[in-house]
């Protein structure tokens, strides 16, 4: 992971050489690791597998990213054309998008998370090419940065509220599954 890239602009939803994430309601409300992901080129343009045979460039399916994980283009180990690390990064992002333009989209498999994992595998990012959806969820959940307080609230607010309601119901004695003697 690297510090924020030059050219990052949260307001414009631009995160160069990053994986971006947004909540996928209502799934994220119950399991906060589950969300919608995309991968950005070196200019911060997101590439997002949104539907059958369709990878959107420049816009995420559910609005702006709420979390981002800046990555280091110098860790791309793939043997692809390009004179700079950023050019090799961009080549792999385009190859991943092109591969997924030939795939049907499904909520389970293949989906946006598989697209991002596949692109990281094409890059052989950090010398590894076995990225998978569950691993990606874990990395994003524990290492990605929030896009400000609003990003935090949109990402985890509903889950925290649900947990608070459940705990308050349990300790107030009004939990529906509790029987009183």
């Amino acid at each position: 992971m690297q510090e924020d890239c030059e050219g990052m602009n949260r307001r414009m939803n631009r995160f160069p050489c990053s994986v971006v994430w947004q909540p996928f309601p209502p799934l994220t409300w119950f399991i906060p690791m589950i969300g919608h992901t995309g991968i950005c080129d070196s200019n911060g343009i997101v590439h997002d597998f949104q539907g059958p045979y369709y990878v959107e460039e420049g816009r995420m399916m559910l609005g702006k990213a709420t979390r981002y994980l800046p990555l280091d283009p110098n860790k791309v180990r793939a043997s692809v054309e390009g004179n700079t690390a950023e050019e090799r990064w961009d080549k792999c992002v385009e190859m991943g998008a092109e591969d997924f333009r030939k795939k049907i989209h499904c909520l389970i498999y293949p989906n946006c998370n598989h697209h991002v994992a596949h692109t990281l595998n094409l890059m052989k990012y950090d010398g590894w090419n076995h990225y998978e959806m569950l691993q990606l969820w874990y990395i994003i959940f524990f290492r990605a940065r929030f896009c400000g307080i609003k990003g935090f609230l949109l990402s985890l607010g509903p889950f925290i509220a649900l947990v608070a309601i459940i705990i308050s119901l349990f300790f107030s004695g009004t939990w529906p599954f509790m029987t009183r003697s």
Side-chain angles (χ1 to χ4, degrees), residues 156-171:
L156 295 178
F159 175 75
I160 293 169
L162 280 172
V163 169
I165 290 168
I166 290 168
I167 289 171
S168 67
L169 288 173
F170 182 78
F171 285 109

Side-chain angles (χ1 to χ4, degrees), residues 62-130:
L62 302 171
K64 291 186 175 185
T66 59
R67 300 189 78 176
Y68 65 100
L69 180 66
L71 299 173
D72 184 353
N74 292 306
K75 292 185 177 182
V76 172
R77 302 289 182 251
S79 299
V80 294
E81 294 177 23
N83 295 324
T84 66
E86 288 78 12
E87 288 176 7
R88 288 189 295 280
W89 176 279
D90 289 346
K91 181 67 174 174
C92 290
V93 169
E94 185 52 45
M95 289 168 49
E98 196 56 41
D99 289 347
F100 272 71
R101 285 184 184 108
K102 300 171 188 162
K103 293 185 183 276
I104 192 79
H105 186 282
C106 182
L107 187 61
I108 306 298
Y109 180 85
N111 61 36
C112 59
N113 300 287
H114 295 101
H115 167 242
V116 172
H118 174 73
T119 302
L120 292 173
N121 290 335
L122 289 173
M123 290 178 183
K124 297 182 182 173
Y125 186 78
D126 206 13
W128 209 51
N129 65 346
H130 299 290

Side-chain angles (χ1 to χ4, degrees), residues 50-66:
Q50 294 184 359
Y53 317 109
Y54 183 66
V55 177
E56 172 73 29
E57 292 181 21
R59 185 178 59 85
M60 290 188 79
M61 183 172 73
L62 302 171
K64 291 186 175 185
T66 59

Side-chain angles (χ1 to χ4, degrees), residues 9-68:
N9 185 331
R10 290 181 191 169
R11 187 171 295 135
M12 295 296 296
N13 210 39
R14 298 287 187 255
F15 302 91
C17 301
S18 297
V19 172
V20 290
W21 184 92
Q22 57 189 184
F24 194 84
L27 295 174
T28 308
W29 301 349
F30 299 100
I31 306 170
M33 293 175 118
I34 295 177
H36 186 76
T37 59
I39 190 161
C40 299
D41 63 22
S42 63
N43 294 311
I45 307 296
V46 66
H47 294 248
D48 180 16
F49 184 47
Q50 294 184 359
Y53 317 109
Y54 183 66
V55 177
E56 172 73 29
E57 292 181 21
R59 185 178 59 85
M60 290 188 79
M61 183 172 73
L62 302 171
K64 291 186 175 185
T66 59
R67 300 189 78 176
Y68 65 100

